Amino acid sequence: MYELTINLRQGGKTPLYEQIYGYIREEIRSGRIASGEKLPSTRALSRHLDVSRSTVELAYEQLLSEGYIESQPYRGYFVSQIDGLYQISPAKAEDSRGQKRKPEKYRYDFTPNGVDLNSFPYNTWRKLSRECLTDDRAELFRLGCPQGEPGLRGAISSYLHQARGVNCTPDQIIVGAGNDYLMMLICAVIGTGHRVALENPTYRQAYRLFGNLSCDVCTVDMDEKGMRADELEKSGADIAFVMPSHQYPLGTVMPIRRRMELLHWSDRKEGRYIIEDDYDSEFRYKGKPIPALQGYDANGKVIYIGTFSKSIAPAIRMSYLVMPEQICEIYRRRCGFISSTVSKVDQMILQKFIEEGYYERHLNKMRALYRNRHDVLLSELKDMGENFRISGENAGVHLLIHFRDGRSEGELIRLAAECGVKVYGLSEYYVDGKRDDGETVILLGYANLDEEKIRDAVRLLKRAWYDR
């Protein structure tokens, strides 16, 4: 029999039975009391601890209910067989040798997924929230239209037509909480028995998502113009997932000829579709914004997906689909019963934000802000040296540096980290490994860093990569 020595705290906030229960549970979970070990009887333990028997019985009952111990008639209480029980304890970072290591801290983080939340229009959003909630309308808190509120869909439709050249009616738009949900909805509408082709490198979240939804997923190599239509044909895919206005992570802008080739590919067979992810086309620094691929689609082959996460804030969790009319019919038949995943209040706030001109003003402000940071980063990089080239700098909120001096991606990332700067390698965006083209590519995002921080961070990178 296992002897229990428990230091009980009389008069504390934690009841005595909970102290007994907690002590025995931790002894079992840590392995200090082995499976099959017999515990003292409730009478013996109560006498040993100088507490009432009912207190011990309460502790044992809790352990019984959670499965830590079991009761055997006429024999007593025994520890259950729980070898390999998952240990619910704080995770500790370890290196490859099992040694604890301190979490890495960086002075500057060039994350390519950044959004400048310091510029979020808090006062405007607060004002519109008050306006939406001023009227005591019970209707505001009922379930709304599954596709999203008609007013918001109308505002999005007008914006997309004017700013992105998208041709659609409000009835073709579906509002949802984030791109992940909407991509799952696409699969629910068109079915999962498809082969989906994505660019390589690509947005890994989309690749994982389609794969987890039982789609047959493959990748198609890119050239300087984007996904190659001839390779797409060879892949056997019937769904192509592309980012033609600003490919992530390479920053490639697909020219009109390649867009026409993709549309021609989709037209050649029934059941082929293109999913166009237009995630950050609002931010372009050279020339006019590139019209969406959907605007060239005359045969209902392009499913367009956009988001407000990059242009406003990730926590807004507001994205939208534009579906061809024939797919809208399938949606209403198969998924029209699914309630909207975005609250009516949030939809109304965003509708006002767009209709009253705040969204356009916010975009103009963010374009100017990001352009300044973009220009400062380019200027500082040019002073850093000449043994690299820059790409992807004409749009979005990140660019790429290509090195051809033989240093590995891991080495460049490590050297930067030693100087307190976090940078990102391109290899993590390749599904089946980066091509050996003699280049090492590093991504630098600048949305989270102001101009002075960018200057200081690049000075540190210069010291890390060239002055050692």
Side-chain angles (χ1 to χ4, degrees):
M1 181 182 294
Y2 190 86
E3 295 295 334
L4 298 177
T5 302
I6 309 174
N7 294 320
L8 297 178
R9 298 181 301 278
Q10 301 283 347
K13 292 183 178 180
T14 305
L16 294 176
Y17 87 90
E18 282 192 22
Q19 295 181 46
I20 298 170
Y21 150 78
Y23 176 86
I24 298 175
R25 183 194 63 180
E26 291 308 312
E27 291 289 288
I28 294 172
R29 288 169 58 169
S30 66
R32 289 189 289 270
I33 304 181
S35 298
E37 189 79 43
K38 185 177 181 180
L39 296 180
S41 67
T42 57
R43 187 186 302 277
L45 186 58
S46 65
R47 187 167 52 247
H48 175 66
L49 297 177
D50 194 23
V51 297
S52 69
R53 187 177 177 184
S54 61
T55 297
V56 178
E57 288 175 344
L58 277 174
Y60 277 20
E61 284 295 329
Q62 186 63 35
L63 291 166
L64 276 169
S65 65
E66 294 186 16
Y68 287 102
I69 64 175
E70 54 191 34
S71 175
Q72 298 181 14
Y74 308 110
R75 294 191 62 204
Y77 295 96
F78 294 81
V79 177
S80 300
Q81 186 71 33
I82 53 174
D83 292 341
L85 178 70
Y86 178 73
Q87 299 298 309
I88 307 176
S89 57
K92 297 176 181 177
E94 297 182 349
D95 61 20
S96 59
R97 294 167 294 182
Q99 301 297 316
K100 295 180 184 178
R101 54 180 170 83
K102 295 179 180 179
E104 295 177 295
K105 294 183 179 179
Y106 299 94
R107 291 177 61 186
Y108 305 111
D109 186 350
F110 278 107
T111 173
N113 298 314
V115 175
D116 183 3
L117 296 181
N118 292 325
S119 299
F120 181 81
Y122 294 100
N123 291 334
T124 299
W125 204 263
R126 193 178 296 114
K127 167 181 169 291
L128 296 177
S129 300
R130 284 197 301 267
E131 290 178 2
C132 290
L133 295 172
T134 296
D135 297 332
D136 296 330
R137 291 183 294 171
E139 188 64 29
L140 191 61
F141 296 94
R142 301 185 193 279
L143 283 177
C145 176
Q147 284 186 232
E149 294 309 293
L152 176 59
R153 288 188 282 119
I156 293 174
S157 176
S158 298
Y159 165 74
L160 289 177
H161 181 68
Q162 296 169 14
R164 304 293 303 119
V166 172
N167 298 315
C168 67
T169 66
D171 288 340
Q172 291 175 254
I173 294 176
I174 300 170
V175 176
N179 284 19
D180 292 350
Y181 165 75
L182 292 178
M183 285 190 281
M184 289 190 286
L185 187 63
I186 290 173
C187 290
V189 173
I190 65 177
T192 57
H194 296 276
R195 185 170 176 81
V196 182
L198 295 93
E199 300 149 318
N200 198 29
T202 192
Y203 176 47
R204 292 294 296 267
Q205 181 77 347
Y207 183 90
R208 288 192 293 263
L209 191 62
F210 286 121
N212 289 341
L213 292 171
S214 300
C215 293
D216 183 12
V217 188
C218 66
T219 60
V220 173
D221 286 340
M222 299 173 60
D223 58 20
E224 70 279 1
K225 299 176 183 177
M227 180 183 280
R228 293 176 52 182
D230 56 340
E231 293 295 327
L232 176 60
E233 185 69 47
K234 292 177 186 176
S235 72
D238 55 355
I239 305 288
F241 181 91
V242 294
M243 295 166 272
S245 294
H246 186 235
Q247 200 274 343
Y248 187 83
L250 293 183
T252 304
V253 177
M254 187 179 291
I256 184 66
R257 181 179 179 85
R258 182 60 54 85
R259 295 176 183 230
M260 294 301 105
E261 290 173 357
L262 289 182
L263 288 173
H264 183 58
W265 167 84
S266 66
D267 288 338
R268 279 202 294 270
K269 285 188 180 179
E270 188 68 27
R272 284 182 173 177
Y273 292 100
I274 298 170
I275 299 175
E276 178 182 11
D277 185 359
D278 200 14
Y279 68 99
D280 75 346
S281 58
E282 292 86 2
F283 306 117
R284 181 165 176 78
Y285 313 116
K286 185 178 180 180
K288 295 181 179 180
I290 307 298
L293 175 63
Q294 194 271 359
Y296 299 103
D297 176 27
N299 298 314
K301 291 291 188 175
V302 176
I303 301 171
Y304 180 91
I305 183 168
T307 180
F308 293 101
S309 292
K310 283 284 188 180
S311 58
I312 302 179
I316 295 297
R317 304 304 300 151
M318 203 98 69
S319 297
Y320 48 88
L321 277 178
V322 177
M323 287 190 170
E325 291 183 357
Q326 68 270 24
I327 297 184
C328 285
E329 294 300 322
I330 302 174
Y331 159 78
R332 295 185 184 100
R333 187 167 63 250
R334 292 184 179 177
C335 303
F337 62 91
I338 300 176
S339 299
S340 175
T341 53
V342 182
S343 79
K344 290 176 70 173
V345 176
D346 290 340
Q347 291 187 57
M348 182 175 291
I349 294 170
L350 182 57
Q351 177 186 339
K352 285 177 170 287
F353 191 68
I354 297 172
E355 290 180 340
E356 296 179 18
Y358 295 111
Y359 183 51
E360 183 178 359
R361 290 195 287 275
H362 176 67
L363 282 180
N364 290 336
K365 174 186 174 182
M366 298 309 295
R367 286 190 192 104
L369 187 75
Y370 289 152
R371 178 187 286 276
N372 289 339
R373 297 177 183 181
H374 160 275
D375 293 346
V376 168
L377 180 56
L378 283 179
S379 175
E380 294 297 320
L381 288 174
K382 288 176 182 177
D383 292 338
M384 191 168 67
E386 298 179 352
N387 298 323
F388 61 86
R389 68 179 180 90
I390 298 172
S391 69
E393 73 275 22
N394 294 328
V397 291
H398 78 274
L399 50 77
L400 300 90
I401 308 178
H402 303 250
F403 294 87
R404 281 187 170 272
D405 55 11
R407 289 183 292 179
S408 69
E409 180 182 288
E411 180 184 3
L412 292 169
I413 293 175
R414 177 183 59 80
L415 290 172
E418 289 175 358
C419 286
V421 182
K422 186 171 179 58
V423 298
Y424 298 79
L426 180 63
S427 63
E428 65 183 85
Y429 297 94
Y430 279 89
V431 172
D432 52 0
K434 185 181 183 302
R435 304 295 180 265
D436 185 11
D437 54 6
E439 285 192 334
T440 298
V441 185
I442 298 294
L443 280 72
L444 297 180
Y446 46 86
N448 283 350
L449 302 173
D450 61 32
E451 287 87 342
E452 190 54 42
K453 289 180 179 178
I454 290 172
R455 292 187 181 96
D456 194 31
V458 175
R459 282 195 290 269
L460 292 173
L461 289 180
K462 180 182 179 182
R463 185 184 310 162
W465 289 341
Y466 292 104
D467 294 347
R468 291 192 171 192

